[in-house]
Amino acid sequence: MTGSPSYGFDTLQIHAGARPDPATGARQTPIYQTTAYVFRDADHAAALFNLQEVGYIYSRLTNPTVAVLQERVATLEGGVGAICCSSGHAAQIMALFPLMGPGLNVVVSTRLYGGSITQFSQTIKRFGWEAKFVDTDDLAAVEGAIDDNTRAIFCESIANPGGYVTDLDAMAAIADKAGLPLIVDNTSATPYLCRPIEHGATLVVHSMTKYLTGNGTVTGGVVVDSGRFDWSASDKFPSLSAPEPAYHGLKFHETFGPLGFTFHGIAVGLRDLGMTLNPQAAHYTLMGIETLSLRMARHVENAEKVAKWLEDDPRVEFVTYAGLKSSPYHDRVARICPKGASSLFTFGVKGGYDACVKLVDSVEIFSHVANLGDTRSLIIHSASTTHRQLTPEQQEAAGAAPNVVRLSIGIEDADDLIADLDQALARATA
Ligand SMILES: *Cc1c(COP(=O)(O)O)cnc(C)c1O
């Protein structure tokens, strides 16, 4: 079945993009472990290389297993197309690549995954790109940061790790007014909890490494295109609106319409940057997505129980879970992610840095790892690990101060998770 939007989420997460293998009838999507595809004849090859016919040439660009995953995620997000990439960070570069150029900038939320802050504040400078960081709760600051050289606004739906939910409708209104695309990293929420395109996002990016695959087996990313942005409305996006020399002057937006961004991402982005997802990884991610709704519902249920227990514990200073009634973002959760605020949050430990380090060394069920969105529960002290490259100000802004511990709540028994944190807190604060 191809993803008819009339089917429900639970049906689409299993079936969208897939059909029995035409050669063998295999019910599960085969892993097409092949680099190249035989052309029917020389004319067929020429048509494929000219982008006059859609088909398979070489697995750096397209692969049938990866194509099923692209259609699956695009359908779940309500987009028209998707480009799978080798990691979440690759997806972020692939989302920006057709929009940016030397001297151009992207307006970026201060509340982002630590690795994204490093990528945006340091690494993209090497391309001559600039990121302007703003507090996305200060709408005047977001508008004020936009200038003639701005080409996109970038934020996370549920921000990792500070329990922050972005007002996507407000971001989309600002982006619309400025004629800019809004890019939303939807990793922590997944399309089960939040569909940013319904709130006006142009592009959605994911680290599929996290909840989409769901069990810590894969590194992967994806860019989903809403198909709604008019890339030709201004002269700001020549990669999509102007003639492309490498394809005999073809204009991607004019030729492929709503699929212009997706085709560019494959035919130019993957072709030349090579940040391709391999078919094995696509297979594992497809297996994960089949149970996405079941896992996310349990992740949320467990996170709510653990967060409430921590909030009432005297050894704990604060809990930043957006799913708690005490969260300043409680009303926003009801609008942006009504099925729950995912299972990622931070809490403050009385006793600061040293107590946090003792806590992560004392847990037994929780794993001390630099990952999130796994079936098993995970713990990390961000200030000494994922966020240690950041300045103290950036740590504070990202919700990763020295007394803060991050949890990614898995789908085990909530009572066991609470008992584990109880004994570890006892040792850490003794
Ligand atoms: C992990 C993560 C990334 C980076 O993804 P990788 O797959 O590790 O490259 C980006 N954004 C968020 C929100 C993440 O959690």
Short mmCIF file of all heavy atoms in Angstrom, two decimals, residues 211-272:
data_model
loop_
_atom_site.label_atom_id
_atom_site.label_comp_id
_atom_site.label_asym_id
_atom_site.label_seq_id
_atom_site.Cartn_x
_atom_site.Cartn_y
_atom_site.Cartn_z
N TYR A 211 14.04 7.93 18.83
CA TYR A 211 12.78 7.20 19.01
C TYR A 211 12.30 6.49 17.74
O TYR A 211 11.60 5.49 17.83
CB TYR A 211 11.67 8.14 19.48
CG TYR A 211 11.87 8.71 20.85
CD1 TYR A 211 12.38 9.99 21.03
CD2 TYR A 211 11.55 7.98 21.99
CE1 TYR A 211 12.55 10.53 22.29
CE2 TYR A 211 11.72 8.50 23.25
CZ TYR A 211 12.22 9.78 23.40
OH TYR A 211 12.39 10.30 24.65
N LEU A 212 12.60 7.01 16.54
CA LEU A 212 12.04 6.38 15.34
C LEU A 212 12.53 4.94 15.21
O LEU A 212 11.74 4.03 15.00
CB LEU A 212 12.36 7.20 14.08
CG LEU A 212 11.56 8.49 13.89
CD1 LEU A 212 11.94 9.19 12.60
CD2 LEU A 212 10.05 8.23 13.90
N THR A 213 13.86 4.74 15.32
CA THR A 213 14.36 3.36 15.36
C THR A 213 14.05 2.77 16.73
O THR A 213 13.54 1.66 16.84
CB THR A 213 15.86 3.30 15.06
OG1 THR A 213 16.11 3.91 13.80
CG2 THR A 213 16.35 1.86 15.02
N GLY A 214 14.38 3.51 17.76
CA GLY A 214 13.83 3.24 19.08
C GLY A 214 14.59 2.29 19.98
O GLY A 214 14.23 2.16 21.14
N ASN A 215 15.61 1.62 19.49
CA ASN A 215 16.30 0.68 20.38
C ASN A 215 17.82 0.79 20.31
O ASN A 215 18.53 -0.16 20.65
CB ASN A 215 15.85 -0.76 20.10
CG ASN A 215 15.92 -1.06 18.61
OD1 ASN A 215 16.69 -0.43 17.89
ND2 ASN A 215 15.13 -1.99 18.16
N GLY A 216 18.31 1.93 19.88
CA GLY A 216 19.74 2.17 19.95
C GLY A 216 20.58 1.28 19.05
O GLY A 216 21.67 0.86 19.43
N THR A 217 20.08 0.99 17.82
CA THR A 217 20.84 0.13 16.92
C THR A 217 21.35 0.85 15.67
O THR A 217 22.15 0.28 14.94
CB THR A 217 19.97 -1.05 16.42
OG1 THR A 217 18.72 -0.53 15.96
CG2 THR A 217 19.72 -2.05 17.54
N VAL A 218 20.90 2.07 15.44
CA VAL A 218 21.13 2.69 14.13
C VAL A 218 21.54 4.15 14.31
O VAL A 218 21.10 4.83 15.23
CB VAL A 218 19.81 2.62 13.31
CG1 VAL A 218 19.74 3.71 12.27
CG2 VAL A 218 19.67 1.26 12.65
N THR A 219 22.39 4.64 13.41
CA THR A 219 22.59 6.08 13.27
C THR A 219 21.96 6.48 11.94
O THR A 219 22.34 5.94 10.90
CB THR A 219 24.09 6.43 13.26
OG1 THR A 219 24.68 5.90 14.43
CG2 THR A 219 24.30 7.93 13.24
N GLY A 220 20.99 7.39 11.99
CA GLY A 220 20.33 7.80 10.75
C GLY A 220 19.58 9.10 10.94
O GLY A 220 19.32 9.53 12.06
N GLY A 221 19.28 9.74 9.82
CA GLY A 221 18.53 11.00 9.86
C GLY A 221 17.62 11.10 8.66
O GLY A 221 17.70 10.29 7.73
N VAL A 222 16.74 12.09 8.67
CA VAL A 222 15.84 12.29 7.54
C VAL A 222 15.42 13.75 7.48
O VAL A 222 15.31 14.41 8.52
CB VAL A 222 14.61 11.34 7.64
CG1 VAL A 222 13.71 11.70 8.83
CG2 VAL A 222 13.79 11.32 6.36
N VAL A 223 15.23 14.24 6.25
CA VAL A 223 14.62 15.55 6.02
C VAL A 223 13.29 15.30 5.33
O VAL A 223 13.25 14.64 4.30
CB VAL A 223 15.48 16.44 5.08
CG1 VAL A 223 14.91 17.85 5.00
CG2 VAL A 223 16.94 16.45 5.49
N VAL A 224 12.20 15.81 5.91
CA VAL A 224 10.88 15.66 5.29
C VAL A 224 10.46 17.02 4.74
O VAL A 224 10.59 18.04 5.42
CB VAL A 224 9.83 15.18 6.32
CG1 VAL A 224 8.46 15.05 5.66
CG2 VAL A 224 10.26 13.87 6.96
N ASP A 225 9.95 17.01 3.51
CA ASP A 225 9.51 18.26 2.88
C ASP A 225 7.98 18.33 2.89
O ASP A 225 7.31 17.40 2.46
CB ASP A 225 10.04 18.30 1.43
CG ASP A 225 9.61 19.58 0.72
OD1 ASP A 225 9.18 20.55 1.38
OD2 ASP A 225 9.70 19.60 -0.53
N SER A 226 7.45 19.46 3.37
CA SER A 226 6.00 19.67 3.37
C SER A 226 5.47 19.85 1.96
O SER A 226 4.29 19.67 1.69
CB SER A 226 5.64 20.91 4.20
OG SER A 226 6.17 22.07 3.56
N GLY A 227 6.34 20.27 1.02
CA GLY A 227 5.91 20.55 -0.35
C GLY A 227 5.15 21.85 -0.49
O GLY A 227 4.60 22.15 -1.54
N ARG A 228 5.09 22.64 0.59
CA ARG A 228 4.22 23.82 0.59
C ARG A 228 4.93 25.13 0.32
O ARG A 228 4.27 26.16 0.15
CB ARG A 228 3.54 23.94 1.96
CG ARG A 228 2.55 22.83 2.21
CD ARG A 228 1.69 23.20 3.40
NE ARG A 228 0.92 22.06 3.86
CZ ARG A 228 0.47 21.93 5.10
NH1 ARG A 228 0.70 22.88 5.99
NH2 ARG A 228 -0.22 20.87 5.44
N PHE A 229 6.26 25.14 0.35
CA PHE A 229 6.96 26.42 0.25
C PHE A 229 7.16 26.81 -1.21
O PHE A 229 7.51 25.98 -2.04
CB PHE A 229 8.32 26.34 0.97
CG PHE A 229 8.92 27.69 1.23
CD1 PHE A 229 8.56 28.42 2.35
CD2 PHE A 229 9.84 28.23 0.34
CE1 PHE A 229 9.11 29.67 2.59
CE2 PHE A 229 10.39 29.49 0.56
CZ PHE A 229 10.03 30.20 1.69
N ASP A 230 6.92 28.10 -1.51
CA ASP A 230 7.12 28.58 -2.88
C ASP A 230 8.56 29.08 -3.03
O ASP A 230 8.86 30.24 -2.74
CB ASP A 230 6.12 29.70 -3.18
CG ASP A 230 6.24 30.17 -4.64
OD1 ASP A 230 7.13 29.66 -5.36
OD2 ASP A 230 5.44 31.03 -5.04
N TRP A 231 9.44 28.19 -3.47
CA TRP A 231 10.87 28.52 -3.57
C TRP A 231 11.14 29.56 -4.65
O TRP A 231 12.21 30.16 -4.68
CB TRP A 231 11.70 27.25 -3.87
CG TRP A 231 11.49 26.17 -2.85
CD1 TRP A 231 10.80 25.00 -3.02
CD2 TRP A 231 11.96 26.17 -1.49
NE1 TRP A 231 10.81 24.27 -1.85
CE2 TRP A 231 11.51 24.96 -0.90
CE3 TRP A 231 12.70 27.07 -0.71
CZ2 TRP A 231 11.79 24.62 0.44
CZ3 TRP A 231 12.98 26.73 0.61
CH2 TRP A 231 12.53 25.53 1.17
N SER A 232 10.16 29.76 -5.57
CA SER A 232 10.37 30.70 -6.67
C SER A 232 9.75 32.07 -6.40
O SER A 232 9.80 32.96 -7.26
CB SER A 232 9.77 30.12 -7.97
OG SER A 232 10.25 28.81 -8.19
N ALA A 233 9.17 32.26 -5.20
CA ALA A 233 8.50 33.54 -4.91
C ALA A 233 9.48 34.69 -4.78
O ALA A 233 9.11 35.85 -4.93
CB ALA A 233 7.67 33.41 -3.63
N SER A 234 10.75 34.40 -4.46
CA SER A 234 11.77 35.44 -4.38
C SER A 234 13.03 34.88 -5.06
O SER A 234 13.04 33.73 -5.51
CB SER A 234 12.09 35.77 -2.92
OG SER A 234 12.83 34.71 -2.34
N ASP A 235 14.07 35.73 -5.12
CA ASP A 235 15.32 35.22 -5.71
C ASP A 235 16.27 34.70 -4.63
O ASP A 235 17.47 34.60 -4.84
CB ASP A 235 15.99 36.30 -6.57
CG ASP A 235 16.27 37.55 -5.76
OD1 ASP A 235 16.04 37.53 -4.51
OD2 ASP A 235 16.71 38.56 -6.34
N LYS A 236 15.71 34.37 -3.45
CA LYS A 236 16.55 33.97 -2.32
C LYS A 236 17.03 32.52 -2.39
O LYS A 236 17.94 32.14 -1.66
CB LYS A 236 15.78 34.16 -1.00
CG LYS A 236 15.64 35.61 -0.58
CD LYS A 236 15.00 35.75 0.78
CE LYS A 236 15.04 37.21 1.20
NZ LYS A 236 14.23 37.45 2.41
N PHE A 237 16.36 31.69 -3.19
CA PHE A 237 16.68 30.26 -3.16
C PHE A 237 17.04 29.75 -4.57
O PHE A 237 16.35 28.90 -5.13
CB PHE A 237 15.49 29.48 -2.58
CG PHE A 237 15.09 29.99 -1.22
CD1 PHE A 237 13.97 30.80 -1.06
CD2 PHE A 237 15.87 29.69 -0.11
CE1 PHE A 237 13.62 31.29 0.20
CE2 PHE A 237 15.53 30.18 1.14
CZ PHE A 237 14.41 30.98 1.30
N PRO A 238 18.14 30.30 -5.15
CA PRO A 238 18.48 29.97 -6.54
C PRO A 238 18.77 28.48 -6.78
O PRO A 238 18.56 28.00 -7.89
CB PRO A 238 19.72 30.83 -6.82
CG PRO A 238 20.27 31.21 -5.48
CD PRO A 238 19.09 31.26 -4.56
N SER A 239 19.22 27.74 -5.74
CA SER A 239 19.47 26.30 -5.96
C SER A 239 18.20 25.60 -6.39
O SER A 239 18.24 24.59 -7.11
CB SER A 239 19.97 25.63 -4.68
OG SER A 239 21.23 26.13 -4.34
N LEU A 240 17.06 26.12 -5.95
CA LEU A 240 15.78 25.47 -6.25
C LEU A 240 15.02 26.18 -7.37
O LEU A 240 14.24 25.55 -8.08
CB LEU A 240 14.92 25.41 -4.97
CG LEU A 240 15.58 24.60 -3.86
CD1 LEU A 240 14.96 24.88 -2.50
CD2 LEU A 240 15.50 23.11 -4.18
N SER A 241 15.25 27.49 -7.53
CA SER A 241 14.44 28.24 -8.51
C SER A 241 15.20 28.56 -9.80
O SER A 241 14.58 28.77 -10.84
CB SER A 241 13.95 29.55 -7.88
OG SER A 241 15.06 30.37 -7.54
N ALA A 242 16.54 28.61 -9.75
CA ALA A 242 17.32 29.02 -10.93
C ALA A 242 17.86 27.78 -11.67
O ALA A 242 17.87 26.68 -11.12
CB ALA A 242 18.47 29.92 -10.48
N PRO A 243 18.31 27.94 -12.93
CA PRO A 243 18.82 26.79 -13.69
C PRO A 243 20.01 26.12 -13.01
O PRO A 243 20.90 26.79 -12.51
CB PRO A 243 19.24 27.41 -15.03
CG PRO A 243 18.51 28.71 -15.11
CD PRO A 243 18.32 29.19 -13.71
N GLU A 244 20.00 24.79 -12.97
CA GLU A 244 21.08 24.00 -12.34
C GLU A 244 22.05 23.55 -13.43
O GLU A 244 21.70 22.75 -14.29
CB GLU A 244 20.44 22.79 -11.63
CG GLU A 244 21.41 21.71 -11.20
CD GLU A 244 22.39 22.16 -10.12
OE1 GLU A 244 22.00 22.89 -9.21
OE2 GLU A 244 23.58 21.76 -10.21
N PRO A 245 23.28 24.09 -13.40
CA PRO A 245 24.23 23.77 -14.48
C PRO A 245 24.53 22.28 -14.62
O PRO A 245 24.70 21.78 -15.73
CB PRO A 245 25.50 24.54 -14.09
CG PRO A 245 25.23 25.24 -12.81
CD PRO A 245 23.82 25.01 -12.40
N ALA A 246 24.55 21.54 -13.49
CA ALA A 246 24.91 20.11 -13.57
C ALA A 246 23.80 19.27 -14.21
O ALA A 246 23.99 18.10 -14.48
CB ALA A 246 25.25 19.59 -12.18
N TYR A 247 22.60 19.85 -14.39
CA TYR A 247 21.51 19.11 -15.06
C TYR A 247 20.99 19.91 -16.27
O TYR A 247 19.79 20.12 -16.42
CB TYR A 247 20.37 18.81 -14.06
CG TYR A 247 20.70 17.67 -13.11
CD1 TYR A 247 20.99 17.92 -11.78
CD2 TYR A 247 20.73 16.35 -13.56
CE1 TYR A 247 21.30 16.88 -10.91
CE2 TYR A 247 21.04 15.30 -12.71
CZ TYR A 247 21.32 15.57 -11.38
OH TYR A 247 21.63 14.54 -10.54
N HIS A 248 21.90 20.40 -17.11
CA HIS A 248 21.53 21.09 -18.35
C HIS A 248 20.54 22.22 -18.11
O HIS A 248 19.56 22.39 -18.86
CB HIS A 248 20.94 20.12 -19.39
CG HIS A 248 21.76 18.88 -19.59
ND1 HIS A 248 23.05 18.93 -20.05
CD2 HIS A 248 21.49 17.58 -19.35
CE1 HIS A 248 23.54 17.69 -20.12
NE2 HIS A 248 22.61 16.87 -19.68
N GLY A 249 20.72 22.98 -17.02
CA GLY A 249 19.87 24.15 -16.79
C GLY A 249 18.49 23.84 -16.25
O GLY A 249 17.60 24.70 -16.26
N LEU A 250 18.26 22.62 -15.77
CA LEU A 250 16.96 22.27 -15.19
C LEU A 250 16.70 23.11 -13.94
O LEU A 250 17.59 23.37 -13.14
CB LEU A 250 17.01 20.78 -14.85
CG LEU A 250 15.86 20.11 -14.10
CD1 LEU A 250 15.72 18.68 -14.60
CD2 LEU A 250 16.11 20.08 -12.60
N LYS A 251 15.42 23.59 -13.80
CA LYS A 251 15.04 24.31 -12.58
C LYS A 251 14.24 23.34 -11.70
O LYS A 251 13.16 22.90 -12.11
CB LYS A 251 14.19 25.53 -12.92
CG LYS A 251 14.90 26.59 -13.74
CD LYS A 251 13.91 27.71 -14.05
CE LYS A 251 14.56 28.79 -14.90
NZ LYS A 251 13.56 29.81 -15.31
N PHE A 252 14.75 23.06 -10.51
CA PHE A 252 14.13 22.00 -9.68
C PHE A 252 12.70 22.33 -9.29
O PHE A 252 11.80 21.49 -9.38
CB PHE A 252 15.00 21.72 -8.45
CG PHE A 252 16.10 20.75 -8.74
CD1 PHE A 252 17.36 21.20 -9.14
CD2 PHE A 252 15.88 19.38 -8.66
CE1 PHE A 252 18.37 20.30 -9.43
CE2 PHE A 252 16.89 18.47 -8.96
CZ PHE A 252 18.14 18.93 -9.34
N HIS A 253 12.46 23.57 -8.82
CA HIS A 253 11.11 23.89 -8.35
C HIS A 253 10.11 23.90 -9.50
O HIS A 253 9.03 23.33 -9.42
CB HIS A 253 11.10 25.23 -7.60
CG HIS A 253 9.78 25.53 -6.96
ND1 HIS A 253 9.25 26.80 -6.91
CD2 HIS A 253 8.86 24.73 -6.37
CE1 HIS A 253 8.07 26.75 -6.31
NE2 HIS A 253 7.82 25.52 -5.97
N GLU A 254 10.53 24.53 -10.61
CA GLU A 254 9.63 24.61 -11.78
C GLU A 254 9.34 23.22 -12.33
O GLU A 254 8.21 22.90 -12.69
CB GLU A 254 10.30 25.48 -12.84
CG GLU A 254 9.44 25.80 -14.04
CD GLU A 254 10.25 26.59 -15.08
OE1 GLU A 254 10.44 27.80 -14.86
OE2 GLU A 254 10.71 25.97 -16.06
N THR A 255 10.36 22.35 -12.38
CA THR A 255 10.21 21.03 -13.01
C THR A 255 9.44 20.06 -12.12
O THR A 255 8.57 19.33 -12.60
CB THR A 255 11.59 20.43 -13.34
OG1 THR A 255 12.32 21.39 -14.11
CG2 THR A 255 11.47 19.13 -14.13
N PHE A 256 9.76 20.04 -10.82
CA PHE A 256 9.19 19.01 -9.94
C PHE A 256 8.13 19.55 -8.99
O PHE A 256 7.60 18.79 -8.17
CB PHE A 256 10.31 18.31 -9.17
CG PHE A 256 11.32 17.64 -10.06
CD1 PHE A 256 12.62 18.14 -10.19
CD2 PHE A 256 10.97 16.52 -10.80
CE1 PHE A 256 13.54 17.52 -11.02
CE2 PHE A 256 11.89 15.90 -11.64
CZ PHE A 256 13.18 16.41 -11.76
N GLY A 257 7.82 20.83 -9.07
CA GLY A 257 6.74 21.41 -8.24
C GLY A 257 6.97 21.17 -6.76
O GLY A 257 8.06 21.42 -6.25
N PRO A 258 5.94 20.65 -6.06
CA PRO A 258 6.07 20.44 -4.61
C PRO A 258 7.21 19.49 -4.24
O PRO A 258 7.66 19.48 -3.10
CB PRO A 258 4.73 19.83 -4.21
CG PRO A 258 3.83 19.92 -5.36
CD PRO A 258 4.64 20.24 -6.58
N LEU A 259 7.67 18.67 -5.19
CA LEU A 259 8.76 17.73 -4.90
C LEU A 259 10.14 18.30 -5.24
O LEU A 259 11.15 17.58 -5.19
CB LEU A 259 8.55 16.41 -5.64
CG LEU A 259 7.53 15.46 -4.99
CD1 LEU A 259 7.11 14.35 -5.94
CD2 LEU A 259 8.10 14.87 -3.69
N GLY A 260 10.19 19.60 -5.57
CA GLY A 260 11.46 20.21 -5.99
C GLY A 260 12.56 20.08 -4.96
O GLY A 260 13.70 19.72 -5.30
N PHE A 261 12.24 20.34 -3.70
CA PHE A 261 13.26 20.26 -2.65
C PHE A 261 13.75 18.82 -2.49
O PHE A 261 14.95 18.57 -2.38
CB PHE A 261 12.70 20.77 -1.31
CG PHE A 261 13.71 20.78 -0.20
CD1 PHE A 261 14.42 21.93 0.09
CD2 PHE A 261 13.96 19.63 0.55
CE1 PHE A 261 15.39 21.93 1.10
CE2 PHE A 261 14.90 19.62 1.55
CZ PHE A 261 15.62 20.78 1.84
N THR A 262 12.82 17.86 -2.52
CA THR A 262 13.18 16.45 -2.34
C THR A 262 14.08 15.98 -3.49
O THR A 262 15.11 15.32 -3.27
CB THR A 262 11.91 15.57 -2.28
OG1 THR A 262 11.07 16.07 -1.24
CG2 THR A 262 12.26 14.12 -1.99
N PHE A 263 13.70 16.31 -4.73
CA PHE A 263 14.51 15.90 -5.88
C PHE A 263 15.90 16.53 -5.82
O PHE A 263 16.90 15.87 -6.12
CB PHE A 263 13.80 16.25 -7.20
CG PHE A 263 12.92 15.14 -7.69
CD1 PHE A 263 11.65 14.97 -7.16
CD2 PHE A 263 13.35 14.25 -8.66
CE1 PHE A 263 10.83 13.94 -7.58
CE2 PHE A 263 12.54 13.20 -9.09
CZ PHE A 263 11.26 13.05 -8.55
N HIS A 264 15.97 17.80 -5.43
CA HIS A 264 17.27 18.45 -5.30
C HIS A 264 18.12 17.74 -4.24
O HIS A 264 19.30 17.50 -4.43
CB HIS A 264 17.09 19.93 -4.94
CG HIS A 264 18.37 20.70 -4.91
ND1 HIS A 264 19.20 20.70 -3.81
CD2 HIS A 264 18.99 21.47 -5.85
CE1 HIS A 264 20.26 21.44 -4.07
NE2 HIS A 264 20.16 21.93 -5.29
N GLY A 265 17.46 17.38 -3.13
CA GLY A 265 18.18 16.72 -2.04
C GLY A 265 18.81 15.41 -2.48
O GLY A 265 19.91 15.06 -2.02
N ILE A 266 18.13 14.69 -3.36
CA ILE A 266 18.67 13.41 -3.83
C ILE A 266 19.65 13.63 -4.98
O ILE A 266 20.78 13.16 -4.95
CB ILE A 266 17.50 12.48 -4.26
CG1 ILE A 266 16.69 12.09 -3.01
CG2 ILE A 266 18.03 11.24 -4.99
CD1 ILE A 266 15.35 11.44 -3.31
N ALA A 267 19.21 14.41 -5.98
CA ALA A 267 19.98 14.52 -7.23
C ALA A 267 21.22 15.39 -7.08
O ALA A 267 22.18 15.22 -7.83
CB ALA A 267 19.09 15.07 -8.35
N VAL A 268 21.22 16.32 -6.13
CA VAL A 268 22.40 17.16 -5.91
C VAL A 268 22.99 16.89 -4.53
O VAL A 268 24.18 16.61 -4.39
CB VAL A 268 22.07 18.67 -6.07
CG1 VAL A 268 23.32 19.51 -5.80
CG2 VAL A 268 21.51 18.94 -7.46
N GLY A 269 22.14 16.94 -3.48
CA GLY A 269 22.62 16.78 -2.11
C GLY A 269 23.29 15.44 -1.87
O GLY A 269 24.47 15.37 -1.51
N LEU A 270 22.55 14.35 -2.04
CA LEU A 270 23.14 13.03 -1.81
C LEU A 270 24.22 12.71 -2.85
O LEU A 270 25.24 12.11 -2.53
CB LEU A 270 22.07 11.93 -1.82
CG LEU A 270 21.10 11.93 -0.63
CD1 LEU A 270 20.11 10.77 -0.77
CD2 LEU A 270 21.81 11.86 0.71
N ARG A 271 23.99 13.15 -4.08
CA ARG A 271 24.98 12.87 -5.14
C ARG A 271 26.34 13.45 -4.77
O ARG A 271 27.36 12.79 -4.90
CB ARG A 271 24.50 13.47 -6.47
CG ARG A 271 25.41 13.15 -7.66
CD ARG A 271 25.16 14.08 -8.83
NE ARG A 271 25.45 15.47 -8.49
CZ ARG A 271 25.18 16.51 -9.27
NH1 ARG A 271 24.58 16.32 -10.43
NH2 ARG A 271 25.48 17.74 -8.88
N ASP A 272 26.35 14.72 -4.27
CA ASP A 272 27.63 15.40 -4.10
C ASP A 272 28.12 15.45 -2.66
O ASP A 272 29.32 15.54 -2.42
CB ASP A 272 27.53 16.83 -4.64
CG ASP A 272 27.31 16.83 -6.15
OD1 ASP A 272 27.49 15.76 -6.77
OD2 ASP A 272 26.93 17.88 -6.70
#
